[in-house]
Amino acid sequence: MSDNKVSRRKFIGNATVAAGAAATGTLAAPAVHAQTPVTIKMQTSWPSSDIWMDFARQYIERVERMSGGRIRIDLLPAGAVVGAFQVLDAVHDGILDAAHTVPVYWYGKHKAASLFGTGPVFGGSATTMLAWFHQGGGKEFYRELTQDILGLNVVGFYGFPMPAQPFGWFKEPVTTVEDVQGFKYRTVGLAADLMQEMGLSVAQLPGGEIVPAMERGVIDAFEFNNPSSDMRFGAQDVAKNYFLSSYHQASESFEFLFNRDVFDSLDDDLQAILEYGVEAVSTANTALALDQYSADLQTLQEEHDVTVHRTSQEILDAQLQAWDELIPMLEEDEFMKRVLDSQREWVERVVFYELTNAPDLTLAYEHYFPGKLSL
C-alpha cells in the first residue's frame, strides 16, 4: 500500500504541472477577440428632468451589467430625435433602436393601444393588469395588435405597475361633476374619451408641454402621472389643489419598445437580457416610485402650500358611469371586444381573490397613524 500512496506534495506538484500544460495549451490557441459591444439608441417620451428618466436609467444599468458590457444603451430624452408621441414610428422605421414610453402615446393608431395601459377599470389595479399581460393572454393580444393588425416592425415588453394616477391639478377645489363641466383638461389615451364623456374639453399634450399650456390658459386643469413628475414640471407653480385617486388611468405600465430587426439580430442571451431586464427593473422602479412619490407629495404639501384632496365619490361614480357609456362603443371593434372580454374574465377571478384576501390596510394605518387620512 505504501507503493500506491500519493503524497500531498506529489499530488500538488502533479496538479501544478497539469495546470502549466493547460496554460501552455491556452496560450497556443488562437487569440479570441472581445466582442464589440452592441450600442442601442433608446429615446424616452420624457423630459430629461423627469423622474421617469431615472427609471429608464435603472433599466440600462441592469441590462449593461447582466450583458457584461456586450450591450450599451444610449439614452436620450424626449425631443432629442423625435417628439414624445412619435417614438413608436421612429422605432418602427429604424430611426431609433428602442424607446421607453407608454402605449397611450400611440393610441391614435388604434384605440386598443390604451387597453394595454389605461383602459376601463373593472376593479383591477396596475399590478392586476400587468399580471393579465403576462399570464392572462395580454401578451398575445399585444402581438396581434402590433404585428397582425398594424404591421409594426417592433417588439414590446411591459413593466412597472404604476400607482393609480391622480385626477390632477386644479386652481380651485372641485367636488361635483358640475364643477368640472367645460374645463379644458389635459390627459391622454382613452382617458381623453372618458373626460369628454363627462363634459370636459381635452387637450392631449406630452409632459413637457403641460405647465406652459396652463400658464397660457390653453388648459384649465391637468393630470400627468405622479407627485414627483408633477413637481419637477412645476405643477405647484400654476395650481395649488391636487386631487389624488381616479379611475381615468388606474392601471398603466411602461412600454419598452425595440425595432424588430435590431432585436432579432442579437444573440439569444442578449435578447433574453433585454426582455427579462424589464421584469427585473419593474421591481426597482416600484421601490423608487414609492420612495420618491411619497416624499415629493410631502414636499408639495409642506414647502409649496399645495392642498392634497381625495377625489370626491360623486366624481368617481361619474367616471365609472362614463366608462359604462364608452365600453359598448369600444366593443364595436371586434379586436377590442375580445381584449375587453379577456380583461373582464381575468379581473372577475383574480380580483375576487385579491380583495377577499386583503386585510383592511386603512384600518391598520389609522390605528398607528390616527388622523393622517382626514383629507
Side-chain angles (χ1 to χ4, degrees):
M1 288 185 65
S2 60
D3 291 339
N4 293 330
K5 278 187 177 178
V6 179
S7 71
R8 181 174 181 275
R9 178 174 296 180
K10 187 175 180 181
F11 177 81
I12 293 173
N14 288 343
T16 303
V17 171
T24 303
T26 301
L27 291 173
V32 178
H33 298 287
Q35 180 177 335
T36 302
V38 175
T39 299
I40 292 176
K41 183 165 61 176
M42 170 184 276
Q43 186 190 298
T44 75
S45 291
W46 332 121
S48 58
S49 61
D50 189 17
I51 190 172
W52 284 1
M53 289 292 286
D54 297 333
F55 292 168
R57 291 185 190 99
Q58 287 185 313
Y59 176 67
I60 290 168
E61 290 165 3
R62 281 153 182 78
V63 165
E64 292 186 349
R65 185 170 179 184
M66 287 189 290
S67 70
R70 291 164 62 203
I71 297 179
R72 296 279 187 243
I73 298 181
D74 181 15
L75 184 67
L76 303 167
V81 179
V82 296
F85 289 174
Q86 281 75 54
V87 292
L88 173 70
D89 286 335
V91 173
H92 167 73
D93 292 334
I95 296 169
L96 293 170
D97 301 320
H100 186 267
T101 187
V102 286
V104 291
Y105 278 12
W106 54 270
Y107 107 125
K109 291 186 178 298
H110 197 299
K111 288 192 176 185
S114 203
L115 300 183
F116 300 93
T118 56
V121 178
F122 300 119
S125 67
T127 298
T128 308
M129 301 317 295
L130 184 58
W132 166 80
F133 182 83
H134 286 288
Q135 288 292 127
K139 188 180 297 185
E140 290 73 24
F141 282 121
Y142 177 80
R143 189 212 60 77
E144 182 179 350
L145 175 63
T146 56
Q147 308 301 312
D148 299 343
I149 296 175
L150 296 177
L152 296 172
N153 190 35
V154 301
V155 178
F157 308 108
Y158 281 77
F160 176 46
M162 300 178 186
Q165 297 179 33
F167 187 40
W169 292 84
F170 297 81
K171 293 181 179 179
E172 301 294 336
V174 293
T175 57
T176 69
V177 175
E178 186 178 358
D179 289 339
V180 298
Q181 292 294 299
F183 270 32
K184 293 173 289 185
Y185 179 86
R186 181 273 174 193
T187 190
V188 291
L190 284 174
D193 301 52
L194 182 81
M195 294 304 174
Q196 288 171 343
E197 186 69 29
M198 291 177 61
L200 288 77
S201 172
V202 176
Q204 300 201 45
L205 303 170
E209 298 179 19
I210 295 173
V211 168
M214 188 81 160
E215 290 174 330
R216 298 194 311 271
V218 175
I219 55 176
D220 304 310
F222 63 90
E223 63 80 34
F224 177 70
N225 185 275
N226 65 81
S228 298
S229 294
D230 294 349
M231 188 170 74
R232 295 190 189 194
F233 288 153
Q236 67 277 6
D237 297 328
V238 293
K240 294 295 184 183
N241 291 278
Y242 193 25
F243 284 81
L244 303 185
S245 173
S246 183
Y247 290 130
H248 75 289
Q249 289 180 301
S251 60
E252 192 165 23
S253 295
F254 284 138
E255 181 180 36
F256 296 73
L257 281 171
F258 296 89
N259 176 274
R260 176 172 287 280
D261 295 333
V262 171
F263 186 83
D264 288 347
S265 71
L266 299 173
D267 293 340
D268 288 346
D269 65 325
L270 296 185
Q271 291 182 8
I273 287 169
L274 290 178
E275 178 178 357
Y276 297 119
V278 173
E279 295 182 14
V281 83
S282 189
T283 299
N285 285 174
T286 298
L288 180 58
L290 291 178
D291 179 26
Q292 291 297 303
Y293 291 4
S294 60
D296 289 336
L297 181 66
Q298 192 172 62
T299 298
L300 287 168
Q301 292 175 284
E302 296 177 355
E303 298 181 19
H304 297 283
D305 298 322
V306 170
T307 301
V308 175
H309 312 261
R310 277 187 62 83
T311 303
S312 71
Q313 189 68 44
E314 178 179 329
I315 290 176
L316 292 174
D317 286 341
Q319 288 179 346
L320 291 178
Q321 292 167 16
W323 278 123
D324 288 345
E325 296 296 321
L326 281 176
I327 289 171
M329 291 186 280
L330 299 177
E331 290 181 330
E332 292 176 5
D333 179 273
E334 181 271 341
F335 174 75
M336 296 186 75
K337 175 69 163 59
R338 286 191 285 118
V339 175
L340 288 165
D341 283 345
S342 173
Q343 290 179 336
R344 272 188 292 256
E345 181 181 355
W346 176 264
V347 168
E348 182 178 11
R349 172 168 61 87
V350 173
V351 175
F352 174 81
Y353 161 73
E354 289 184 306
L355 295 179
T356 304
N357 183 62
D360 187 342
L361 298 181
T362 299
L363 178 66
Y365 186 88
E366 288 183 330
H367 176 79
Y368 290 103
F369 310 104
K372 286 282 290 186
L373 292 178
S374 56
L375 297 177

